Structure formats: structure tokens, C-alpha cells
Amino acid sequence: MLAIRRRLRQVEFDIFTTVPQWFFSDSIGEQFSYHKFNSDIGLVQVTPFSEDLTATVSELDQAQKDAHRQVEQAAAILRGEDAQLVVCDIAPLGIESAQAAGLPAALVENFTWDFIYAGYTDEQPGFNPHIPRLKQVFALADTHIQTAPVCQFDPSAYRVEPVSRPPMKSSSSTRSRLGLSEDDRFILVTLGGIEEKYDARKALKQHSDCIFVLPGSTDQLRRDENLILLPHHSDFYHPDLVQASDAVIGKLGYSTVAEVYQAGLPFAYLPRPTFPETPSMAKFAHREMSALELTYPDFLAGRLGDLPERLLAIPRRETPGINGADQIAAILLEKYA
């Protein structure tokens, strides 16, 4: 959305999601309409590294019962707003609503939910009825764009580089606001926007020659020895924190990988071993980034060894210079503007 707005100043957005409104305000400003819609079930998360498959199937079953009402409600809003295009971040409701409103739909993904659910059918057969329906819905998209790292290649789709939000402030400005100098060595520890209390703090404090910034670890900003603790929604824009750091320890999730890749930083990643996206993401991290693996149990138990020092010894890579967001904006504006 930000990349499109930079090219088409008068564009207006209607956002259908349960993601908090502040996330979009922080990213693209206030010029959008927000509709609280449960547009995408995804996976019910217990922690950043574990899912509740039974609860997920239950929610999928209910969503299927509510689908017609939801689609008609969204389509009515789209018609009332005189929308021209529906862009779907793997949300099947968007494609169905576009069809109901007589609008084109663009699907943007590095995986689709039928692919993810297929990886869990042995453990939870309740996913089986949903997979063919979702596959059929995703196939209805008028434009299909796949963002690296892709899990399941579609030869007919457009391919673009990793998509991430660009930083808004300079590295020196962000460091100054954190109370850090340019010489301070600073590692960002992030679990991808999901709030969690960090049990590894004692181990991190043992690396006293390094400062760790931990978003989502407190109710308000505070300093605890060599730790800087930030709330889940703080005054610090996450891409700014990435850009200002010397290295990142984080969950192997798309947004974190893309932001770290765009910044050219060393990355110690915590994989989700059972998540079907993990093999593609890990392969990309080792091929295109300076990546080391750290298991979540080792992280929680504080078994870090010399990992922080090894990370900081890795030089920053040259940044790619191409953001998939800009490529997607160019594709969509050429086809639909």
C-alpha cells in the first residue's frame, strides 16, 4: 500500500482485517478506511512457536458457515466505496468478495493456506474438507503474485523479491532515541510481533559487551542492565529497529526475514519445525543471508553459547536494492490504474 501511494498519491484504501488499526496507521499514515473483518483464519497460535490445530479447524468450520454473509457484507462495502481492485494477502474472503462485487482480485503470497493445511492432515484430518475449497478459491484470482521466498511455485504467477516495510528514520536517530551510540553493539531480538515474555533474559545479560533490544517484552520502555525492553506497540517502528541494529535474533517468519534481508544483517533464526513454510524460509536464509540457526528450546533455556559474538563478527551484507513491494506496485498500477 505504501509503495502504491508513493506512485499514486490520490489512491484510497479500504482494509478488511482483524490486525489492529494502529499497525496500518504506523505504516502508511491515517488515509484509509478500516473494516474489522475476520477475513483469514490462518492458524490459531498458542505461542509464537506452537499452534492449536483443533481450534483452527473449529474456526475454519465456523468461517465456512459464515462465509456467504461475510462475502455479501464485504462486497456491499466494496460496491459502496466504488472500489476498483481487491488485493488479497492470502485471504480467501477477499477473492470471494471481489467476485461477488464484480471486481478483479490480485492474490499476493509466498504460500496459500491449502498448502499449509496439507502439511497437518496426518495430525488433524479436519483440515481435509477445507483444502480443495481453498485451492479452488485461490485459483480464481485474476492476478497472481508470488513473493520470495516462495513455498510452492506457480509458473503462471509474477515473481518478485521479498516484501518488507522500509525504515522511516535513520539508524543514528533510532539509536539516539534508544540511548545508544554509534559504537554500541546492538542485537534486536524479535518474535515477529507476537507478544511473549522472554525467559532468556538472564542468559542475554551474560553477554554484557552487547546490548539487546526486546520488543514485546514489557508494558513500557525500560532499561534492565544491557537489555532494552519495549512494549508490543511502542513508539519505535519495527523496520527502524531492524535498520539500526547490528544483527537480529528472531522467529523465521516472513516479515522478519524480509526486513533483515533488506537491511543486509546477520540473522540467527528460530525455526518452527512443524510449520510447512519453514524449509523454504530456512533455505532462503542460508542461501541469500548470513544466517545461523538457533532452536526455540535452546533460546528459552538460555543455551546461547557464543552465538551473539559470532553474529556480531559477521559483516553486514550489501543490501539488495530491490523491494518486492515496489515491484508489486508497478505490476498492479500497470494493469489496473
Side-chain angles (χ1 to χ4, degrees):
M1 288 186 285
L2 183 60
I4 289 174
R5 177 163 281 161
R6 286 173 172 171
R7 291 160 173 78
L8 191 66
R9 292 291 181 182
Q10 70 272 27
V11 69
E12 297 179 8
F13 298 114
D14 284 80
I15 303 173
F16 297 76
T17 186
T18 54
V19 174
Q21 187 169 347
W22 61 257
F23 179 86
F24 301 98
S25 299
D26 288 355
S27 302
I28 65 172
E30 298 293 341
Q31 296 79 30
F32 62 87
S33 297
Y34 179 87
H35 310 279
K36 191 167 185 178
F37 256 74
N38 193 15
S39 57
D40 191 358
I41 299 302
L43 283 172
V44 176
Q45 296 283 136
V46 180
T47 74
F49 292 86
S50 63
E51 308 89 22
D52 188 331
L53 301 184
T54 301
T56 300
V57 169
S58 178
E59 291 200 15
L60 282 170
D61 292 342
Q62 185 61 48
Q64 181 62 19
K65 295 176 183 176
D66 296 339
H68 179 74
R69 177 182 57 81
Q70 286 270 85
V71 166
E72 288 302 314
Q73 187 177 354
I77 295 172
L78 293 170
R79 286 190 291 263
E81 296 287 352
D82 196 24
Q84 297 180 35
L85 172 68
V86 178
V87 182
C88 310
D89 180 4
I90 63 171
L93 181 70
I95 297 174
E96 294 173 304
S97 301
Q99 289 240 310
L103 295 171
L107 169 64
V108 179
E109 54 92 2
N110 82 305
F111 65 72
T112 53
W113 287 116
D114 54 290
F115 167 80
I116 297 297
Y117 296 152
Y120 291 106
T121 53
D122 288 345
E123 185 177 353
Q124 176 49 266
F127 285 119
N128 282 312
H130 296 281
I131 292 171
R133 180 187 63 83
L134 288 170
K135 189 175 296 187
Q136 184 179 28
V137 171
F138 288 128
L140 294 173
D142 299 277
T143 300
H144 187 184
I145 301 172
Q146 293 192 304
T147 69
V150 177
C151 289
Q152 196 171 37
F153 286 100
D154 179 349
S156 66
Y158 292 92
R159 303 265 175 74
V160 302
E161 293 297 305
V163 174
S164 72
R165 297 173 295 164
M168 294 184 178
K169 299 184 182 299
S170 68
S171 174
S172 58
S173 171
T174 300
R175 282 176 170 261
S176 176
R177 293 176 62 217
L178 288 168
L180 304 178
S181 72
E182 292 298 318
D183 295 328
D184 286 322
R185 301 196 303 168
F186 147 34
I187 294 179
L188 179 67
V189 183
T190 175
L191 297 184
I194 301 177
E195 296 181 68
E196 173 151 312
K197 303 302 180 185
Y198 291 93
D199 296 326
R201 293 180 191 175
K202 185 176 180 180
L204 294 175
K205 288 180 180 180
Q206 294 175 2
H207 301 270
S208 57
D209 58 343
C210 175
I211 294 166
F212 298 90
V213 175
L214 286 69
S217 58
T218 185
D219 295 330
Q220 58 185 359
L221 187 154
R222 63 188 180 91
R223 183 79 179 254
D224 182 11
E225 298 182 21
N226 63 326
L227 309 183
I228 298 176
L229 311 177
L230 300 176
H232 176 54
H233 181 207
S234 74
D235 292 332
F236 291 89
Y237 189 51
H238 195 269
D240 290 340
L241 292 172
V242 173
Q243 182 70 23
S245 66
D246 296 297
V248 175
I249 297 174
K251 188 178 76 166
L252 191 68
Y254 190 93
S255 61
T256 301
V257 168
E259 288 176 8
V260 175
Y261 169 75
Q262 292 291 350
L265 293 175
F267 181 42
Y269 68 84
L270 285 68
R272 296 163 64 182
T274 61
F275 192 54
E277 182 192 31
T278 294
S280 296
M281 298 292 283
K283 183 177 179 181
F284 178 87
H286 285 286
R287 185 182 69 242
E288 304 291 343
M289 305 166 69
S290 302
L292 303 172
E293 182 176 346
L294 173 64
T295 70
Y296 187 55
D298 281 348
F299 172 73
L300 283 186
R303 294 188 292 266
L304 303 180
D306 62 351
L307 178 70
E309 289 74 22
R310 288 164 58 203
L311 269 182
L312 293 171
I314 301 173
R316 185 186 289 246
R317 295 167 68 105
E318 184 177 348
T319 57
I322 301 175
N323 192 319
D326 295 307
Q327 294 175 297
I328 293 171
I331 292 167
L332 296 181
L333 292 178
E334 181 181 356
K335 294 193 70 171
Y336 299 108

